[in-house]
Amino acid sequence: SGPRPEGDPPGEVEQHAEAVEELEKAIEAGFKDPAIYYNLGFLRSKTDRVESALRNLQIAVKNDAYIIGARLLMGQIERQM
């Protein structure tokens, strides 16, 4: 388990880790819904896995429903790098 993101209450980090695991399983099972990639990017952005976050958001940004949110989140990540 990585470092606890600042401001996240105890227990939330474990929930994020479980959610990431489930999203990764969905991708491995062949699901390609952009929501999976967006959510995975969002969760990864809250940890030190920024490269993974950006990779997932780059997939999500190709879908019109996620283009604005993914671009905003990518901008926030890049500003923090």
Side-chain angles (χ1 to χ4, degrees):
S1 154
R4 191 167 76 79
E6 278 188 42
D8 284 347
E12 191 168 327
V13 173
E14 290 80 11
Q15 289 176 346
H16 287 178
E18 289 176 24
V20 164
E21 188 175 321
E22 292 300 318
L23 292 167
E24 288 175 341
K25 285 180 186 177
I27 291 170
E28 288 173 14
F31 291 95
K32 301 294 181 197
D33 190 298
I36 294 171
Y37 292 98
Y38 179 81
N39 288 324
L40 190 52
F42 173 78
L43 290 169
R44 290 287 193 207
S45 76
K46 295 181 74 61
T47 67
D48 59 351
R49 302 282 309 270
V50 293
E51 293 85 7
S52 176
L54 289 171
R55 275 195 309 275
N56 286 289
L57 291 169
Q58 286 169 348
I59 295 169
V61 79
K62 295 176 185 175
N63 183 283
D64 289 344
Y66 294 92
I67 192 166
I68 294 173
R71 284 190 188 273
L72 289 171
L73 192 49
M74 289 167 71
Q76 286 179 341
I77 293 168
E78 290 170 358
R79 266 199 329 258
Q80 294 171 359
M81 292 178 80

